[in-house]
């Protein structure tokens, strides 16, 4: 009898494992920064990622060892050009072609490169020269992809900070800073024409840091709170993530770009920081990331984009011990460099199968 029971449990475990593997969570991604001197080898990271429900990885550059290690894993890869590459990309089509020839063609399609981000937060860098060259750089990379017959397979975009918005509260009043003028219109025109996403970095953590009240913390962590009413839409927002993303949606809509999809390129919460920092803790980080993942899995979407989860890249895979700034900058990692979890937010496939067994699978099947 014991043998039969064990066999049944083993079969159920195997069945659940197969079902859970088949469940698409393509909207969950993670940022893989490399400002560190203690990172595990790319091959170990690739195995770690395959043991999780993370289906996309965003790199800030185009490290060939990492891109190669992710080959044949099915994991989508976002690669990026440095801000310093924007001027030569803009001025020299050959530079763009060589960049594609070096960083894409040797690896694609075995390595599933899905998006190239040109620069990071260029529009809020304060460098007017860089800002004006951003669109030509994106266009030259797109032309290089087209020339390699990859134009419809790999998208080109750039990543923005929330500071591109002049107004974001309430969400329905979301609008871009008018000082960007035609530069932003040009970028959005490119996104629309090529079907590439508008990538944004919303951080409820920073919102709480500037307004450290208990009610604000609960609003930022998806915890019970009284909500915030948007009189423009009569919607009551119950979490900061939805409010920030919908502010971007409203800004895009007001410019006439309703068809452009939003991607959350970065969002996260530090698990520790300096003694004078407000907000970093294991409890808060676990609450934010864990509740965000549950929110995404619910497929409820946001009030202005119901029924579909926005592709969201969590920040970050590992701590980056060489990053400058306050202690929190070096404490966003969901995993330690020894490949163990910093804290558990339900991304491990094994953990979800165990939970399913314990809860009679009601939440998983």
């Amino acid at each position: 009898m014991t043998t039969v029971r064990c066999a049944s449990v083993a079969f159920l475990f195997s069945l659940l494992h197969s079902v859970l593997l088949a469940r698409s969570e393509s909207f969950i991604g993670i940022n893989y920064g490399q400002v560190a001197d203690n990172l595990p080898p790319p091959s170990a990271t690739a195995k770690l990622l395959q043991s999780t429900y993370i289906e996309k990885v965003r790199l800030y550059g185009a490290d060939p060892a990492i891109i190669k290690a992710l080959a044949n894993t099915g994991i989508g890869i976002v690669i990026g050009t440095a801000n310093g590459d924007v001027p030569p990309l803009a001025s020299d089509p050959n530079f763009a072609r060589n960049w594609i020839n070096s960083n894409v063609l040797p690896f694609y399609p075995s390595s599933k490169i899905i998006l190239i981000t040109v620069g990071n937060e260029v529009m809020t860098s304060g460098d007017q020269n860089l800002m004006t060259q951003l669109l030509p750089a994106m266009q030259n990379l797109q032309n290089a992809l087209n020339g390699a017959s990859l134009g419809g397979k790999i998208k080109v975009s750039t990543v923005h900070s929330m500071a591109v918005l002049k107004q974001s509260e309430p969400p329905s009043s979301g609008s871009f800073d008018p000082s960007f003028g035609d530069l932003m219109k040009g970028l959005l025109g490119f996104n629309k024409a090529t079907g590439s996403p508008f990538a944004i970095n919303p951080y409820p953590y920073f919102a709480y840091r500037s307004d450290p009240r208990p009610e604000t913390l609960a609003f930022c962590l998806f915890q019970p709170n009284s909500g915030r009413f948007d009189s423009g839409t009569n919607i009551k927002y119950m979490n900061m993530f939805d409010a920030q993303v919908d502010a971007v949606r409203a800004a895009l809509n007001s410019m006439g770009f309703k068809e452009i999809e939003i991607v959350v390129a970065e969002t996260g919460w530090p698990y520790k920081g300096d003694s004078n920092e407000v907000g970093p803790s294991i409890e808060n980080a676990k609450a934010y990331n864990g509740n965000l993942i549950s929110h995404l899995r619910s497929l409820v979407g946001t009030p202005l984009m119901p029924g579909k989860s926005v592709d969201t890249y969590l920040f970050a895979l590992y701590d980056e011990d060489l990053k400058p700034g306050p202690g929190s900058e070096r404490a966003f990692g969901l995993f330690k460099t020894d490949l163990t979890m910093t804290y558990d937010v339900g991304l491990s496939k094994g953990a979800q199968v165990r939970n399913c067994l314990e809860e009679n699978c009601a939440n998983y099947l």
Side-chain angles (χ1 to χ4, degrees):
M1 190 69 178
T2 302
T3 304
V4 172
R5 188 180 295 114
C6 287
S8 298
V9 170
F11 173 75
L12 180 59
F13 191 96
S14 175
L15 177 64
L16 292 173
H17 189 61
S18 300
V19 171
L20 288 166
L21 281 175
R23 237 175 120 217
S24 174
E25 294 192 350
S26 60
F27 43 80
I28 297 177
I30 201 158
N31 286 268
Y32 184 177
Q34 293 177 267
V35 188
D37 59 5
N38 61 347
L39 297 178
S43 57
T45 295
K47 287 178 182 174
L48 170 65
L49 290 168
Q50 287 179 287
S51 74
T52 72
Y53 283 100
I54 296 165
E55 294 203 8
K56 296 177 180 176
V57 173
R58 178 186 169 212
L59 310 178
Y60 290 84
D63 188 307
I66 297 173
I67 297 171
K68 202 173 205 177
L70 292 171
N72 304 310
T73 61
I75 294 170
I77 308 166
V78 178
I79 59 176
T81 77
N83 285 3
D85 285 334
V86 170
L89 283 169
S91 62
D92 186 0
N94 284 327
F95 187 91
R97 277 193 290 271
N98 289 337
W99 198 95
I100 296 297
N101 289 342
S102 300
N103 298 300
V104 175
L105 296 187
F107 311 107
Y108 187 87
S110 298
S111 296
K112 191 180 171 184
I113 299 168
I114 56 175
L115 177 67
I116 301 170
T117 57
V118 182
N120 190 49
E121 300 188 349
V122 169
M123 291 300 287
T124 48
S125 67
D127 186 331
Q128 195 67 31
N129 185 49
L130 208 59
M131 291 160 63
T132 57
Q133 294 183 89
L134 181 56
L135 179 56
M138 292 165 64
Q139 289 168 331
N140 279 342
L141 268 182
Q142 182 67 53
N143 291 337
L145 283 172
N146 293 346
S149 300
L150 294 176
K153 298 170 183 175
I154 300 173
K155 304 295 184 183
V156 175
S157 192
T158 189
V159 178
H160 302 284
S161 80
M162 285 294 289
V164 294
L165 297 186
K166 178 72 171 177
Q167 190 164 336
S168 60
E169 202 172 325
S172 63
S173 70
S175 59
F176 292 109
D177 190 325
S179 68
F180 298 135
D182 290 340
L183 290 181
M184 183 59 75
K185 281 184 185 174
L187 292 172
L188 296 178
F190 176 90
N191 290 141
K192 178 180 178 179
T194 62
S196 68
F198 185 87
I200 190 79
N201 294 341
Y203 275 91
Y205 164 67
F206 293 124
Y208 170 64
R209 202 172 66 174
S210 63
D211 178 19
R213 295 176 296 156
E215 176 71 13
T216 304
L217 182 61
F219 188 66
C220 289
L221 297 181
F222 301 84
Q223 292 173 338
N225 66 92
S226 58
R228 297 186 180 181
F229 185 70
D230 185 337
S231 59
T233 54
N234 290 328
I235 290 168
K236 182 184 272 192
Y237 281 85
M238 300 309 298
N239 68 79
M240 181 66 81
F241 179 83
D242 282 356
Q244 290 185 327
V245 172
D246 272 2
V248 176
R249 180 75 272 159
L252 289 168
N253 292 355
S254 70
M255 294 268 286
F257 293 99
K258 294 183 178 181
E259 59 279 278
I260 294 177
E261 289 201 8
I262 296 169
V263 162
V264 173
E266 279 181 33
T267 191
W269 198 288
Y271 64 86
K272 66 179 179 181
D274 297 331
S275 59
N276 63 341
E277 291 192 85
V278 177
S281 73
I282 285 275
E283 293 76 21
N284 288 348
K286 183 175 180 178
Y288 178 72
N289 285 310
N291 290 334
L292 171 60
I293 290 166
S294 295
H295 183 55
L296 295 172
R297 282 175 171 156
S298 74
L299 301 180
V300 69
T302 71
L304 295 186
M305 295 180 289
K308 178 182 180 293
S309 287
V310 172
D311 284 5
T312 299
Y313 292 78
L314 305 171
F315 188 88
L317 183 56
Y318 302 120
D319 289 344
E320 295 176 84
D321 66 333
L322 299 181
K323 269 197 160 183
S328 58
E329 284 293 313
R330 296 175 290 283
F332 277 85
L334 292 175
F335 293 89
K336 299 177 183 177
T337 53
D338 65 2
L339 306 178
T340 61
M341 289 180 286
T342 309
Y343 50 88
D344 188 1
V345 289
L347 285 173
S348 164
K349 287 174 181 171
Q352 285 225 14
V353 172
R354 284 194 298 276
N355 290 342
C356 186
L357 286 168
E358 292 167 2
E359 298 173 17
N360 296 320
C361 318
N363 296 326
Y364 300 96
L365 298 179

